[in-house]
Amino acid sequence: MSARETKLLRREDKRLLTGRARYVDNIHLDHMVHGTFVRSPMPHAEIVSIDASEALAAGALCVLSAKDLPFNGKPWVTRYWHSSIRGGTPTFLPVNRVRFVGEPVAFVVADDRYNAEDLAALVQIEYRELPPLATTQDALAPGAPQLHPDWVNNVAAKFSYAGGDAARAMAGSAHRARRKFNFARQTPLALEPRGLIADFDGTRDRLTVWMSTQAHYNVRQNLATILDIPEYQVRVVAEDVGGGFGAKSRTYQEEIVVSHASRLLRRPVKWIEDRFENLQATTHSRAIEVDLELGCDSEGRFTALKAELTLDVGGYVFTSGVMTSEIAGAHLVNGYRIPNFGVDVQCVGTNKTPIATYRGAGQPESCFPTECLVDVLAKDIGMSAVELRRRNMVRPADLPYEPGPTLLGCKMRFESGDFPAMLEKTIEVSGFTERVEVEPDGSRVGWGLACGIEAGGFVNFETAHVRVDPRGTVSVFSGMSTQGQGQLTTYAQVCAEALGVDVAAVNVQMGDTQIVPFGRGAFASRGAIFGANAVHGAALELRGKILAHAGTLLQADPSELKVVRGRIVLSDGRPTELTLAEIAQAAGPGGSLFSGEAALEARYVYRNEQPITYGLSVHAAKVRLDPRTGFFKLLDYVVSHDAGRSLNAMIVEGQVVGGVVDGIGGAMFSEIVYDESGQLLTGSLADYLVATAPEIPIIRLVHMETRPTTNPLGVRGIGEGGTIPVAATLANAIARTIDPEKTGHEPALFALPLKPQRVFAACQAAGLVPGFA
């Protein structure tokens, strides 16, 4: 399947678009009751007392607080944990202190959601207010209240990356540039908020949970471990999930508490998050400040990079640890040869919603400062920003290249790709120029450019199971989940090609812990790298079984046979009458080839010694800026990317374009805002803004293909490369459009989002606004 040949329409879309999807809130069970959480209105306070008597007297079926959870002190089951973390994980409900607005304090169950909301208002909670830590500066100030006993100076974790001698190399650099950058706190805003239905069957000690999640197996493991239920007695179903973007790639307190309520009541319990809760309590992300310095020699070759990175981790270290800061710190080197680097990372607690992953998970946050500073350094030394990148990019001759940092236990390693060719292709296709046009009305038109590395395939191991039934239908069972990425289509294609059947004969199932014993789920662009490779491995194993059985039935050498469109064909092309259906019948119980297996099937767990596969994307954007107002409009946008082998070109293009749209929203509009007292100010979609259709230009794509050797299919993750360089691309476009040669005006642009007032401030600093110097 070549990239240009595989534009098979997504088979899942018809059901979704015609209203036949089944999201969590579409599910209704007999005797089901409904719950709502009582959430803290305080950013930081002691819990003095909780009195649920009035709510219970008025008809609440139960009210749960920390004292009602016998497991409240148990640890979470996490996939990965950084050794520098100083504790500070949340309990399932808080015992004596709340640490952010929206923290769940109690859970109220009633016969319907409306009554539950009314009864929740009757739960009396007395708080003793504590001084809030609204910013990292507040938290680090001498004498600041301590959020957790082990968070000395409110630092939740602290670590470094180093290679060479960054201080010495920087001191000896011919040219240096240094700036501070702030990537705003944002949230992964899925159309479907979180929610679940928990149904505990007390007669069988069995828990079934339907929920909106990316990580159903991790949820199962947490539920089983924390609630003390045998793991294979817990079933988690993520049937249709209306978006995840990283926020649903972990277990939350609500899932444990709702499941416990079902066990207590012996009835199904439903909880659906509303949008206000979603903006308050679903994990936030980004929120990274970087003080970055970059040095080069007299020829413009990078000599050193130094950085101090601060993550506002919020009130707790949540179950993905401090992963965004780890990835951001490691990826500051980007796709460049930088022989000396030193990056110090600190994760600081504040009274805000905890931080976790969001599309790109630390990669947009690192690309933004590095790529903006490259443009600043280029101007300072009088060199084209394109030429400065040319001189420092990792080249094909350098591959395999290890930049130096270790990430999540693996060395960063670029093993394939042609980064310089991608840069040149982007310039050629886009028409990128460093010249700025001034229009008759004073508007200015210019281009910006940025490059960003994309890591795909975090978290090793994924499972697939492929079976042929007696009618010849092929079923694929995967440990992955899907939130719109098109796996039902691409996995069918991968299986069909490996097995030798028509795509129409293959159906795919996933998102249910009952179909295979082990899985990981869909996050970190692992759908192709892990999920598809697991399907490929299982299909190849099954093909081997099929040909062995066919050889027996035809009295032929299996090596002289092949499968074509579900039939056995001789290697010289002559057909036989033998079909997969007949082989499945022969191999099954009672068949002539029965050997103890219940069906013609194969299971495969894919593992990878180098789980992270790297690629590059290069973005170019053209903007029109009115310096009198600070308003700007995107006129053109070009993305070059390398997906490796493109399993389905339409899906690849959709993922890249969707990523760019998400990135534009994050660069221009989206910001979670708290006031100085720690109260959330962006609690609705009237306040928390995202990109809409009028802001999005036509996005042009440039496809390049180099096959990575890190996985059998030769694929790369493509879910995040569309997002990673967007903020840097837009900031560079605006900075160059304001002044293509000088620096000094750009600091206002290095705090996201790129609001008109910030752009206007940069125009003022450059002297473009009459009456301002």
Side-chain angles (χ1 to χ4, degrees):
M1 295 183 289
S2 73
R4 305 276 62 84
E5 292 171 347
T6 51
K7 282 205 171 185
L8 181 73
L9 292 176
R10 288 172 29 127
R11 55 172 55 184
E12 48 266 76
D13 286 356
K14 182 177 180 180
R15 185 174 57 83
L16 297 172
L17 294 172
T18 55
R20 290 178 171 82
R22 215 162 81 116
Y23 300 103
V24 174
D25 205 22
N26 297 130
I27 299 170
H28 302 281
L29 304 180
D30 289 343
H31 310 296
M32 186 169 72
V33 292
H34 300 256
T36 187
F37 282 90
V38 181
R39 298 185 180 275
S40 171
M42 301 283 194
H44 196 196
E46 292 178 356
I47 300 172
V48 177
S49 64
I50 300 175
D51 183 357
S53 58
E54 189 176 348
L56 291 168
L61 299 175
C62 76
V63 179
L64 301 179
S65 61
K67 65 180 177 57
D68 303 304
L69 307 183
F71 49 81
N72 207 33
K74 284 190 175 183
W76 296 86
V77 179
T78 59
R79 291 184 295 255
Y80 175 77
W81 203 248
H82 196 279
S83 59
S84 73
I85 296 173
R86 302 169 176 176
T89 55
T91 54
F92 303 100
L93 289 175
V95 177
N96 51 27
R97 197 196 302 195
V98 292
R99 292 176 172 86
F100 65 94
V101 171
E103 183 171 359
V105 179
F107 184 58
V108 179
V109 182
D111 54 350
D112 64 43
R113 176 64 182 259
Y114 301 100
N115 283 336
E117 294 278 1
D118 291 342
L119 293 167
L122 301 180
V123 177
Q124 302 299 312
I125 304 177
E126 183 184 350
Y127 296 99
R128 181 180 296 115
E129 191 170 0
L130 297 172
L133 303 175
T135 66
T136 56
Q137 291 76 21
D138 293 342
L140 294 171
Q146 198 156 316
L147 280 178
H148 296 277
D150 296 328
W151 287 14
V152 179
N153 299 323
N154 289 311
V155 175
K158 197 170 187 177
F159 53 93
S160 299
Y161 297 100
D165 189 336
R168 182 176 179 181
M170 190 67 75
S173 298
H175 305 283
R176 300 159 64 170
R178 183 177 179 180
R179 296 290 189 277
K180 292 184 178 181
F181 300 85
N182 187 344
F183 207 116
R185 174 176 282 255
Q186 297 173 348
T187 187
L189 195 75
L191 282 176
E192 181 194 23
R194 292 183 296 134
L196 74 148
I197 298 168
D199 185 12
F200 183 80
D201 184 343
T203 62
R204 297 177 176 86
D205 193 27
R206 181 183 300 166
L207 174 65
T208 303
V209 175
W210 292 265
M211 65 179 295
S212 186
T213 183
Q214 298 171 244
H216 47 318
Y217 285 90
N218 179 258
V219 173
R220 181 184 71 177
Q221 193 176 10
N222 270 283
L223 288 168
T225 302
I226 293 161
L227 299 180
D228 196 23
I229 303 170
E231 188 162 314
Y232 295 113
Q233 290 286 86
V234 178
R235 180 187 181 191
V236 179
V237 183
E239 192 168 356
D240 288 316
V241 177
F245 310 112
K248 298 175 184 174
S249 60
R250 62 194 55 83
T251 309
Y252 284 83
Q253 298 103 309
E254 288 93 341
E255 294 143 23
I256 308 297
V257 174
V258 173
S259 297
H260 182 59
S262 176
R263 181 165 63 177
L264 289 175
L265 294 171
R266 295 297 197 264
R267 296 176 70 175
V269 179
K270 176 188 278 192
W271 166 73
I272 302 294
E273 181 182 60
D274 65 28
R275 186 58 67 188
F276 182 50
E277 286 181 290
N278 176 257
L279 289 165
Q280 276 191 329
T282 292
T283 51
H284 296 167
S285 198
R286 313 301 191 212
I288 284 179
E289 301 170 9
V290 179
D291 184 339
L292 182 65
E293 186 173 17
L294 185 63
C296 68
D297 63 18
S298 58
E299 301 295 321
R301 292 180 178 84
F302 294 155
T303 53
L305 178 148
K306 291 178 64 180
E308 295 178 0
L309 185 153
T310 301
L311 169 69
D312 180 346
V313 77
Y316 300 93
V317 172
F318 212 54
T319 56
S320 57
V322 293
M323 187 178 290
T324 57
S325 63
E326 295 175 63
I327 298 171
H331 279 206
L332 283 169
V333 295
N334 210 355
Y336 301 114
R337 289 168 284 122
I338 305 178
N340 304 282
F341 60 89
V343 179
D344 295 324
V345 180
Q346 64 175 350
C347 306
V348 179
T350 60
N351 291 119
K352 298 175 187 169
T353 302
I355 287 290
T357 53
Y358 173 23
R359 196 172 195 164
Q363 296 171 100
E365 299 95 310
S366 60
C367 182
F368 176 56
T370 298
E371 286 299 289
C372 288
L373 199 59
V374 168
D375 265 34
V376 170
L377 184 60
K379 288 180 181 179
D380 282 350
I381 65 177
M383 182 181 290
S384 157
V386 171
E387 180 59 29
L388 186 59
R389 288 179 171 86
R390 284 188 185 120
R391 295 190 184 191
N392 292 283
M393 269 188 162
V394 173
R395 304 157 299 191
D398 300 321
L399 300 175
Y401 182 81
E402 294 181 352
T406 298
L407 180 59
L408 308 183
C410 302
K411 274 196 170 183
M412 286 179 62
R413 188 171 188 268
F414 307 147
E415 50 76 50
S416 62
D418 192 336
F419 296 1
M422 188 178 291
L423 176 64
E424 301 304 329
K425 192 69 174 176
T426 307
I427 294 166
E428 174 192 339
V429 172
S430 67
F432 174 89
T433 175
E434 296 190 1
R435 296 188 303 274
V436 172
E437 301 173 17
V438 181
E439 298 185 336
D441 66 353
S443 296
R444 302 170 71 87
V445 177
W447 283 89
L449 181 142
C451 311
I453 55 172
E454 177 181 10
F458 291 98
V459 187
N460 214 337
F461 300 105
E462 194 51 76
T463 303
H465 175 194
V466 181
R467 176 188 299 155
V468 181
D469 73 13
R471 297 181 59 194
T473 302
V474 180
S475 293
V476 173
F477 307 95
S478 170
M480 294 289 291
S481 57
T482 182
Q483 303 89 46
Q485 302 96 323
Q487 290 100 323
L488 300 185
T489 303
T490 52
Y491 291 6
Q493 290 178 260
V494 168
C495 179
E497 182 189 40
L499 204 54
V501 299
D502 289 335
V503 173
V506 182
N507 68 77
V508 179
Q509 298 179 44
M510 63 181 67
D512 186 340
T513 59
Q514 194 157 289
I515 61 176
V516 294
F518 171 86
R520 295 290 198 189
F523 49 87
S525 291
R526 40 189 326 275
I529 295 172
F530 277 94
N533 274 290
V535 172
H536 181 253
L540 289 180
E541 285 200 8
L542 182 55
R543 182 175 175 275
K545 284 186 179 183
I546 289 168
L547 292 178
H549 288 320
T552 301
L553 292 170
L554 295 173
Q555 293 297 290
D557 185 345
S559 66
E560 297 297 319
L561 303 174
K562 55 185 179 180
V563 185
V564 178
R565 304 194 71 178
R567 289 184 171 273
I568 304 301
V569 175
L570 300 174
S571 57
D572 61 9
R574 287 179 294 154
T576 75
E577 295 301 314
L578 189 60
T579 66
L580 259 59
E582 292 167 331
I583 295 172
Q585 293 165 20
S592 60
L593 299 178
F594 176 66
S595 61
E597 293 188 337
L600 182 59
E601 60 188 1
R603 297 176 184 267
Y604 186 78
V605 178
Y606 175 70
R607 63 173 296 181
N608 196 328
E609 297 303 326
Q610 181 64 34
I612 303 176
T613 298
Y614 276 95
L616 183 80
S617 62
V618 182
H619 293 210
K622 187 178 184 180
V623 303
R624 177 185 288 116
L625 166 67
D626 183 347
R628 298 164 299 181
T629 63
F631 283 90
F632 67 94
K633 181 177 179 61
L634 284 172
L635 303 178
D636 194 6
Y637 206 101
V638 176
V639 178
S640 292
H641 72 102
D642 183 352
R645 180 184 182 184
S646 198
L647 298 176
N648 183 300
M650 181 179 293
I651 288 174
V652 166
E653 291 169 4
Q655 283 286 296
V656 175
V657 170
V660 174
V661 173
D662 193 359
I664 289 171
M668 293 176 60
F669 304 109
S670 302
E671 183 178 19
I672 291 285
V673 179
Y674 289 83
D675 68 14
E676 65 279 356
S677 66
Q679 288 292 335
L680 180 69
L681 300 181
T682 47
S684 76
L685 294 184
D687 308 300
Y688 185 82
L689 305 181
V690 296
T692 56
E695 290 87 40
I696 307 301
I698 292 175
I699 297 166
R700 297 189 282 151
L701 303 184
V702 179
H703 302 279
M704 297 187 67
E705 183 177 315
T706 62
R707 297 277 179 100
T709 61
T710 55
N711 61 84
L713 287 174
V715 295
R716 289 191 174 87
I718 45 85
E720 297 163 321
T723 301
I724 292 165
V726 175
T729 303
L730 297 187
N732 283 343
I734 295 167
R736 178 172 290 111
T737 302
I738 291 172
D739 194 320
E741 297 178 354
K742 296 178 183 176
T743 63
H745 61 279
E746 68 284 332
L749 306 175
F750 292 165
L752 297 177
L754 295 166
K755 297 177 180 178
Q757 55 265 43
R758 287 176 175 154
V759 177
F760 183 72
C763 294
Q764 287 179 298
L768 291 185
V769 184
F772 293 92

